Amino acid sequence: MWDSESESIASRNFRNGVLTDNLGVQTDKFEKIGQSWYATADIPSDFIVQIGEISFHLHKVKTLQKSNDLEGIIFESRESDLKKVNLDELPGGHEAFELAAKFCYGIAIDLTATTIAALRCAAEYLEMTEDFEEGNLIFKTEAFLNYVVLSSWKDSIMVLRSCENLSPWAENLQIVRRCSESVAWKACADPTGFKWQYPGEPNDSGPNMSPDWWYEDVSVLRIDHFVRVVTAIKVKGMKHQLVGAAIMHYAMKLLPGMIKDGSSGPIDEGRIVELHANKTDQRMIIESLISIIPPQNDSVSCSFLLRLLRIANMVHVSPALVTDLEKRVGMQLDKATLADLLIPSYNRSETKYDVNLIQRLLEQFLVQEQMESSSPSPSPDQNRTSEGVQRSSDESNAKAVVARLIDSYLAEVSRDKNLSLTSFQVLAEALPESARTCDDGLYRAIDSYLKVRPMLLEHERRRLCRLMDCQKLSMDACTHAAQNERLPVRVSIQVILSEQIKLHNTLANTSIKESDHPQYPQITPFRKTLLQETPQSFQDGWAYAKNDIKTLKFDLETVKTKYLELQHDMEMLQKQTENITKLKHQSSWSSGWKKLSKMTKITSVDNAGIRTQGNIEAGAKTPRRWRNSLS
């Protein structure tokens, strides 16, 4: 602006005919009339600053002495008497300029946590530096920030909130960074949330407060400032469980779709409508939260991840972040609930629920289980065996839990008539056979699917029933399946046979126990007494069960008898078929031989007759002659 920075203030007394030193303006207050502020003085104002609809009637001699920006505007205007300046781009708006103007007039102003950030940015914009006056506004606002605000938890939070409308000035001036660091240090001051202590300090140092005391305070921040605070907290070593809990608290408060009506159940639809109304902001919040979740599995709950995934699909979050979220859910799918898995389909699918999403989550779970089972154990040789057995047991338990969860999910989504048989089959077959120790849940899902689709073809029913193993059904499920008319006949027979085998094995085991343990016969005399003490309802139920077993045995014997009869009839038919075939074969050859024999006989007879007749004729033709001699 100036030819030399060492140029004295006295040489700047006259700029565009403006006298800066010789006119003394004394005022002690500002008055607002309508949309205008006036500096009450004995000299009329000669300079107007317009900010939006608010105007400030000031004196050049006061404002230009402390603001390099205003002096530069007047100097570069090349107008002999510039009386109005527009400062619509001033950070902090007319509220910040009001305080800056009062400072120029020497009026005492109150610096608070709610106004300091805006006033600091306005001072920077107006270039109120030390070059114009010692102890100018930039110096004083910086001192207040460093010595007052950053030493207070509450003031640091308030300044961060006030910085929301001061971008990019607050970022460039490092106000957001400094306040975020201050909040992070104070949040980590609780020893229960900090995983290491300063050297030489006792373990009980720090304030005596709950580890989650800071969750509610930081939840009022805008998402970008919250991310800055959480990032700083993670760098300083806070436990990932506390960081994850803070993220969940923030999401529950800021995302309406994350709040449950009760302990379980679907999301409130009214909050879903609210979520759709501001989809862009919700997308930015979700993408930011996904990026700062700690990588450890137990940092956030699986239920939280699934609800976050539900909203992410709804507002169309970046596919890469959705994939990352699906991997995290798959890593702890065994901790999910059925209500969390019932995610609606938001991609214009025909089905009510997003079955393909659950399929991907299950694949991620199986991939993670495979990686964990194939990864080498870092423990020493003597502990590898026990840890390997424990890990294998945990994996089996996790698969069993997921298998029950998927079976319950299939039973729920099977009521949707738009769910195809292929989708049902693919999801049911995704888990290995070893994951299910009992197929009762899968049977219920199959039965529910058949109940909704009574017109399903026979071969489709058989294809569906091949998903379950009749040997893995409990006695109750076998009893129900044996009487289920929706199942194919072959499946019902398999169920009855399986039930009979189980009864036989149970009776065999019972007899073995009674023969091996002599104490069993001693219990027999008391059975009548125990039966009398048993409630009547239980006795009736047991009587009905015995009758059902007898009926099933009779039905089984009937089926066996019919089967044997059919087998006998089939064998008879086969023998008759073979006999007919042999007879036909023999008749053709015998008729040929008979014809040949007849022809032979006829030929021999004819030849014999011919020879006889020839002899007769020869005898007739050559009769014996008697010679008559004369002597």
Side-chain angles (χ1 to χ4, degrees):
M1 179 80 61
W2 304 99
D3 295 337
S4 174
E5 293 185 359
S6 62
E7 186 176 358
S8 64
I9 297 178
S11 62
R12 306 177 191 172
N13 289 344
F14 294 94
R15 293 295 183 190
N16 291 339
V18 178
L19 183 63
T20 59
D21 278 346
N22 296 335
L23 294 177
V25 179
Q26 300 295 329
T27 183
D28 57 354
K29 65 178 181 178
F30 271 50
E31 291 183 350
K32 186 177 182 181
I33 302 175
Q35 298 292 324
S36 301
W37 282 92
Y38 294 89
T40 59
D42 52 353
I43 300 176
S45 61
D46 57 354
F47 185 56
I48 299 175
V49 176
Q50 187 74 31
I51 303 176
E53 298 180 354
I54 306 297
S55 59
F56 294 86
H57 298 261
L58 309 173
H59 301 84
K60 293 181 180 179
V61 67
K62 286 294 184 180
T63 56
L64 300 187
Q65 285 182 345
K66 297 184 178 181
S67 173
N68 187 28
D69 181 70
L70 291 177
E71 186 178 17
I73 291 174
I74 295 175
F75 177 74
E76 294 176 356
S77 65
R78 300 185 182 277
E79 295 183 12
S80 58
D81 190 12
L82 181 64
K83 293 185 178 180
K84 188 174 183 179
V85 174
N86 195 313
L87 297 180
D88 289 336
E89 298 180 356
L90 180 76
H94 61 86
E95 295 91 350
F97 187 79
E98 176 190 348
L99 297 176
K102 289 180 179 179
F103 178 80
C104 292
Y105 279 86
I107 300 175
I109 58 176
D110 292 332
L111 299 180
T112 62
T114 56
T115 62
I116 187 62
L119 188 58
R120 173 66 183 89
C121 295
E124 188 71 21
Y125 182 90
L126 297 173
E127 300 180 14
M128 301 176 71
T129 63
E130 296 295 294
D131 295 339
F132 281 77
E133 182 179 88
E134 186 177 354
N136 209 342
L137 188 57
I138 290 179
F139 173 81
K140 292 190 175 182
T141 51
E142 276 292 326
F144 186 83
L145 278 171
N146 292 329
Y147 296 104
V148 178
V149 172
L150 299 182
S151 62
S152 170
W153 166 267
K154 182 179 179 180
D155 289 346
S156 299
I157 296 291
M158 293 178 66
V159 170
L160 278 176
R161 294 196 64 184
S162 66
C163 290
E164 294 177 358
N165 299 322
L166 298 175
S167 298
W169 290 89
E171 288 284 351
N172 297 336
L173 295 175
Q174 304 296 318
I175 299 177
V176 174
R177 182 192 62 79
R178 287 182 285 175
C179 290
S180 299
E181 292 287 336
S182 173
V183 171
W185 276 113
K186 292 173 177 59
C188 294
D190 186 6
T192 60
F194 208 71
K195 67 180 181 182
W196 54 269
Q197 301 291 333
Y198 288 103
E201 287 190 354
N203 291 332
D204 59 352
S205 63
N208 185 14
M209 57 183 67
S210 175
D212 59 351
W213 63 271
W214 54 277
Y215 292 175
E216 183 64 26
D217 291 337
V218 299
S219 65
V220 301
L221 300 176
R222 199 174 64 183
I223 182 61
D224 54 340
H225 295 160
F226 177 79
V227 170
R228 294 286 292 271
V229 171
V230 171
T231 303
I233 288 175
K234 290 167 64 177
V235 170
K236 288 170 176 56
M238 178 171 282
K239 295 178 181 178
H240 61 271
Q241 294 92 342
L242 296 179
V243 177
I247 294 173
M248 289 191 290
H249 184 89
Y250 184 87
M252 293 292 183
K253 187 172 182 179
L254 213 63
L255 297 174
M258 298 294 296
I259 301 177
K260 299 182 181 180
D261 295 332
S263 60
S264 63
I267 293 177
D268 184 7
E269 295 298 330
R271 294 184 179 273
I272 295 295
V273 174
E274 180 182 350
L275 185 65
H276 276 294
N278 199 7
K279 185 178 292 187
T280 303
D281 291 343
Q282 303 299 335
R283 184 189 303 116
M284 181 183 65
I285 292 172
I286 294 174
E287 291 178 349
S288 300
L289 292 179
I290 295 174
S291 64
I292 61 174
I293 295 177
Q296 292 82 359
N297 287 346
D298 57 345
S299 58
V300 293
S301 66
C302 185
S303 177
F304 171 79
L305 292 175
L306 281 167
R307 290 182 175 269
L308 197 64
L309 181 60
R310 177 198 299 251
I311 304 177
N313 289 330
M314 186 192 308
V315 299
H316 304 295
V317 171
S318 170
L321 292 176
V322 171
T323 302
D324 181 66
L325 197 56
E326 290 178 356
K327 290 181 180 179
R328 297 183 65 91
V329 173
M331 293 170 65
Q332 46 183 322
L333 188 60
D334 55 317
K335 298 179 178 62
T337 62
L338 176 60
D340 295 328
L341 291 183
L342 296 176
I343 300 176
S345 180
Y346 299 107
N347 298 324
R348 297 181 180 179
S349 176
E350 295 181 355
T351 57
K352 181 179 179 182
Y353 297 106
D354 197 344
V355 181
N356 294 329
L357 172 61
I358 305 304
Q359 175 71 23
R360 294 196 299 271
L361 296 180
L362 185 57
E363 291 175 357
Q364 294 292 346
F365 170 77
L366 295 175
V367 169
Q368 183 65 26
E369 289 290 318
Q370 182 66 26
M371 292 175 60
E372 291 181 357
S373 61
S374 61
S375 61
S377 177
S379 59
D381 295 338
Q382 61 271 20
N383 296 329
R384 284 182 182 177
T385 303
S386 59
E387 290 191 3
V389 172
Q390 180 65 29
R391 184 170 62 179
S392 178
S393 176
D394 294 340
E395 291 174 359
S396 301
N397 294 334
K399 288 182 180 179
V401 171
V402 172
R404 291 192 294 269
L405 182 64
I406 294 299
D407 291 345
S408 301
Y409 178 81
L410 286 172
E412 185 68 26
V413 301
S414 62
R415 303 171 187 173
D416 185 5
K417 293 184 178 181
N418 293 325
L419 180 64
S420 65
L421 177 60
T422 302
S423 299
F424 186 96
Q425 182 179 3
V426 169
L427 186 57
E429 292 179 340
L431 283 166
E433 294 182 0
S434 60
R436 291 186 177 93
T437 57
C438 180
D439 278 6
D440 286 8
L442 186 57
Y443 167 69
R444 283 192 293 269
I446 293 173
D447 183 50
S448 177
Y449 191 89
L450 293 175
K451 186 184 297 183
V452 179
R453 299 160 181 83
M455 304 303 294
L456 206 62
L457 299 177
E458 183 68 18
H459 72 277
E460 293 177 333
R461 294 172 185 269
R462 291 197 299 267
R463 171 186 169 190
L464 189 64
C465 292
R466 278 197 291 268
L467 295 173
M468 66 178 179
D469 185 1
C470 296
Q471 299 293 333
K472 292 184 179 180
L473 294 178
S474 64
M475 292 296 296
D476 295 336
C478 287
T479 304
H480 185 276
Q483 303 173 359
N484 193 345
E485 297 179 354
R486 289 182 289 270
L487 298 180
V489 178
R490 182 180 299 177
V491 177
S492 299
I493 295 175
Q494 290 177 357
V495 171
I496 294 173
L497 292 174
S498 174
E499 187 178 14
Q500 292 299 316
I501 292 172
K502 290 179 182 178
L503 287 173
H504 181 270
N505 293 335
T506 302
L507 293 175
N509 293 332
T510 303
S511 62
I512 292 173
K513 288 182 179 179
E514 291 178 352
S515 61
D516 292 342
H517 301 280
Q519 65 269 22
Y520 277 93
Q522 300 175 6
I523 301 175
T524 305
F526 298 99
R527 288 181 178 175
K528 186 175 181 181
T529 306
L530 293 175
L531 183 61
Q532 293 175 354
E533 295 177 356
T534 305
Q536 185 63 32
S537 60
F538 183 82
Q539 296 181 25
D540 295 340
W542 176 245
Y544 290 135
K546 290 172 67 177
N547 292 331
D548 292 340
I549 292 172
K550 290 180 180 179
T551 304
L552 289 173
K553 287 183 177 179
F554 178 76
D555 293 340
L556 180 61
E557 294 297 331
T558 304
V559 171
K560 287 182 178 179
T561 304
K562 290 182 179 180
Y563 177 76
L564 293 175
E565 291 177 356
L566 290 173
Q567 189 175 10
H568 178 71
D569 294 340
M570 186 179 67
E571 291 177 355
M572 293 296 296
L573 289 173
Q574 287 179 353
K575 289 181 180 180
Q576 292 178 4
T577 304
E578 291 176 358
N579 293 332
I580 292 171
T581 304
K582 290 179 180 179
L583 289 173
K584 287 183 178 180
H585 186 70
Q586 292 176 357
S587 62
S588 61
W589 281 100
S590 62
S591 61
W593 282 110
K594 286 180 180 179
K595 289 180 181 179
L596 289 174
S597 62
K598 286 181 180 179
M599 292 175 66
T600 305
K601 288 180 181 181
I602 292 170
T603 305
S604 62
V605 170
D606 291 343
N607 293 334
I610 292 170
R611 286 194 299 269
T612 303
Q613 187 176 0
N615 294 331
I616 294 172
E617 290 178 356
K621 288 180 180 181
T622 58
R624 186 176 180 182
R625 288 184 175 183
W626 297 94
R627 176 177 290 182
N628 296 320
S629 62
L630 296 176
S631 58

